Amino acid sequence: MTAVRRAAPAFTACVTLVALVATLLLLASAGPAGAAGYRYWSFWERTGGHWTYATQGPATVRPDDGAVQGFRFAVSADSADASRPRGTADFDTICADTPAASGSKRVALVLDFGTRADAPSGETPPGRRTACARVPADATSADALAAVAKPLRYDTNALLCAIAGYPREGCGEQVSAEGAARKKSAAEGKSAATEKGAADSGPSLGLPIGAAVVALLAAAAVWQARRRRDESG
């Protein structure tokens, strides 16, 4: 009986450790798989020579004369992951042929339709372009966009879905994290071999944890067998 009392706590501790390690294995393997990205038009403002993700939508922002704003179509998970408009974005260059006029303002717009990797299935993105919108002094960024990039398309929640008719369909649809990462890698010119090499560069975290689980299960089985022998004896 003494042997049984000693074996039981050790057996319980072993089983608890097995459960803990198994939980860690599940967490390690399930983390990134649940994430997702979205395909949408993001809105940017140019300040100090840098793009900043706009904190308001284009329907509420009222830019000053001389402002530079951008729209980029891409797949991203959130604002921290969003792709910025590409290329130069200089007001004097974009609005060089649009002189100032009383009672109106000029807004330089950069329209980046993204890459083929960002595009919905069956669609090809137009080339990046710029435009100088002359609009009334109290106009919003949405007004400026409408002045130079029709047709625009919005959903029932006033989310901007298409600029200059692109894309033809869809609006902020969800894209799997795996698909978004693969498309972003392709857009950046990474080869499939490079991606595979990066993926295979080290041992999987699941392998050593899995081995530990197997070993602990074996130890638990030994303790159980000893307890049964002691009980039968």
Side-chain angles (χ1 to χ4, degrees), residues 88-224:
T88 58
D90 178 69
F91 176 82
D92 291 335
T93 300
I94 296 173
C95 289
D97 298 326
T98 307
S102 178
S104 66
K105 63 184 177 185
R106 297 165 298 163
V107 180
L109 297 176
V110 177
L111 309 178
D112 189 337
F113 296 84
T115 67
R116 287 183 177 273
D118 296 319
S121 178
E123 297 202 46
T124 301
R128 172 191 176 277
R129 72 190 200 210
T130 61
C132 185
R134 190 203 299 277
V135 290
D138 63 346
T140 65
S141 299
D143 295 329
L145 183 63
V148 298
K150 290 181 178 178
L152 306 179
R153 178 164 57 86
Y154 292 87
D155 71 358
T156 55
N157 297 313
L159 176 67
L160 179 61
C161 303
I163 294 176
Y166 181 81
R168 295 187 302 271
E169 298 178 349
C171 192
E173 63 270 21
Q174 191 176 73
V175 180
S176 70
E178 180 180 355
R182 185 167 58 251
K183 288 187 174 185
K184 181 170 287 188
S185 295
E188 292 172 351
K190 293 182 179 179
S191 66
T194 301
E195 292 178 16
K196 185 177 185 304
D200 296 340
S201 59
S204 169
L205 181 60
L207 293 178
I209 295 179
V213 170
V214 172
L216 288 171
L217 285 173
V222 171
W223 281 115
Q224 189 174 24

Side-chain angles (χ1 to χ4, degrees), residues 68-96:
V68 179
Q69 299 183 323
F71 294 84
R72 170 69 190 267
F73 188 78
V75 174
S76 56
D78 50 38
S79 59
D81 179 59
S83 300
R84 293 170 171 77
R86 297 166 296 173
T88 58
D90 178 69
F91 176 82
D92 291 335
T93 300
I94 296 173
C95 289

